[in-house]
Amino acid sequence: MNGEIVINNLAGLLIVTSLMVIGVNKPRVVAMLYSLQSFVLVLTFVAIANTVDAPQLYHWSITAFITKVIALPALLYYAFSKMYDADANKPVIHFAWLVIIGGVITLLSFLAVESVQLPLVAHLKPALAVSLGHFFLGLLCIVSQRNILKQLFGYCLMENGSSLTLALLANKAPGLVEIGVTIDAVFAVIFMIILVRQIYTKLHTLDAQQLTTLKG
């Protein structure tokens, strides 16, 4: 039971760090906050592995630490240092509203998993709710940001949520499956950064609203 409490509490920290990632306007600070969230996710993997006796998750924890805590944040930090657009950093939605919307998403996610009857997650429903909520928090990050580079963090939040879901519901899956999910995310982010770089080089903007204007 103590392990389950630890897992649920760590899941709660994931929600807090997600709101910080969405709400902070300084791009390079966001990269560091994403690294912090990923570290919390790694600790959650370790706690799940220890609680349900799933040694495969220890291997995934190592891979996730290398990719999510170190490689991806460093890559995004570097991208932000090379591409800067002050106008694009202005949020579409005020932080207070982001907190309210995030709270509503979290509440609805808890209500959605309340009826789930799986012995595997009988005492881990808060963590399962967080994994579900992360998908919608990722969408919130995408629609609430003008900076297309910062919108990438929306995808990263969604991917963290799916990783937590996999760790909770399929923690006995082969290690290669779990590691493959993480590596796929890295290549996806690299591809999207290259695409953003092309947009910035040709149009000299990271502002999604400007791109919409150009389309019109």
Side-chain angles (χ1 to χ4, degrees):
M1 185 64 70
N2 290 334
E4 294 162 350
I5 293 173
V6 171
I7 294 169
N8 289 328
N9 286 336
L10 287 172
L13 286 178
L14 289 175
I15 289 293
V16 174
T17 52
S18 290
L19 291 175
M20 294 172 67
V21 167
I22 298 171
V24 172
N25 293 328
K26 295 182 178 179
R28 283 179 282 187
V29 175
V30 176
M32 291 184 283
L33 288 172
Y34 171 70
S35 177
L36 174 62
Q37 179 186 88
S38 297
F39 181 66
V40 175
L41 182 65
V42 169
L43 292 179
T44 307
F45 289 165
V46 172
I48 295 173
N50 184 63
T51 302
V52 303
D53 190 25
Q56 300 92 330
L57 287 182
Y58 290 119
H59 303 146
W60 193 12
S61 300
I62 296 172
T63 305
F65 183 84
I66 295 171
T67 56
K68 291 175 177 289
V69 180
I70 299 175
L72 278 182
L75 184 63
L76 289 164
Y77 188 96
Y78 177 79
F80 278 126
S81 67
K82 294 298 182 180
M83 295 179 278
Y84 182 76
D85 185 347
D87 291 334
N89 290 336
K90 299 174 182 177
V92 176
I93 303 174
H94 192 275
F95 181 69
W97 282 108
L98 289 176
V99 173
I100 294 172
I101 296 171
V104 171
I105 289 173
T106 304
L107 177 61
L108 292 176
S109 298
F110 272 83
L111 294 176
V113 304
E114 189 62 32
S115 59
V116 174
Q117 300 298 328
L118 290 174
L120 187 64
V121 291
H123 300 288
L124 296 174
K125 287 187 178 181
L128 185 61
V130 168
S131 70
L132 173 63
H134 255 70
F135 179 84
F136 297 101
L137 288 173
L139 289 178
L140 176 62
C141 181
I142 292 172
V143 302
S144 65
Q145 305 301 320
R146 293 171 58 177
N147 190 323
I148 56 176
L149 192 53
K150 190 179 176 185
Q151 288 177 349
L152 296 186
F153 286 103
Y155 167 80
C156 291
L157 293 180
M158 295 167 71
E159 199 279 328
N160 276 357
S162 64
S163 295
L164 181 57
T165 302
L166 180 61
L168 289 169
L169 300 179
N171 45 59
K172 302 296 184 182
L176 287 177
V177 173
E178 298 164 341
I179 293 172
V181 171
T182 303
I183 294 177
D184 282 348
V186 173
F187 282 106
V189 171
I190 291 174
F191 174 79
M192 287 186 281
I193 288 176
I194 293 173
L195 182 60
V196 171
R197 179 68 181 178
Q198 292 297 315
I199 294 172
Y200 183 75
T201 300
K202 294 181 181 298
L203 303 177
H204 307 291
T205 183
L206 295 173
D207 192 339
Q209 292 185 355
Q210 289 292 327
L211 298 179
T212 303
T213 302
L214 290 172
K215 179 180 177 181

